[in-house]
Amino acid sequence: VNASHCMIDFINNYFALFTLYTAMAVEFSGVMHSSYLIQNVLSMVSGKPIQSNEEPKSGFTFFFFWARVLMSLAILGFCLA
């Protein structure tokens, strides 16, 4: 039996739906954005550019991205303090 032919519907109850919405909220909030700082630092150190299908961030998107990175680092710092 191939899994692509017999897919299981995981979001068939309210707890799974709550888990999905919670994960989406955490992703949007930017709590885990400190990993992007590590990615950018390693890219600069290695000298290799980050290949992406997205266009470079500019304007409000650029500010919002780095604001979430700084917020994530602040949360991480307070958690480790």
Side-chain angles (χ1 to χ4, degrees):
V1 176
N2 191 350
S4 64
H5 296 292
C6 300
M7 296 179 66
I8 299 173
D9 186 15
F10 288 105
I11 304 179
N12 58 359
N13 58 31
Y14 289 112
F15 180 72
L17 190 61
F18 169 75
T19 304
L20 172 69
Y21 288 152
T22 304
M24 290 173 60
V26 167
E27 176 65 28
F28 178 76
S29 71
V31 173
M32 304 300 293
H33 269 57
S34 61
S35 61
Y36 290 117
L37 179 64
I38 298 168
Q39 176 190 21
N40 288 332
V41 167
L42 290 177
S43 173
M44 289 187 328
V45 168
S46 68
K48 295 182 180 179
I50 298 171
Q51 296 180 359
S52 175
N53 291 335
E54 297 178 0
E55 55 191 45
K57 294 174 180 49
S58 62
F60 179 73
T61 307
F62 182 78
F63 170 75
F64 189 58
F65 173 78
W66 284 107
R68 290 190 293 178
V69 169
L70 291 175
M71 180 195 66
S72 175
L73 287 173
I75 292 171
L76 182 62
F78 280 115
C79 287
L80 295 175

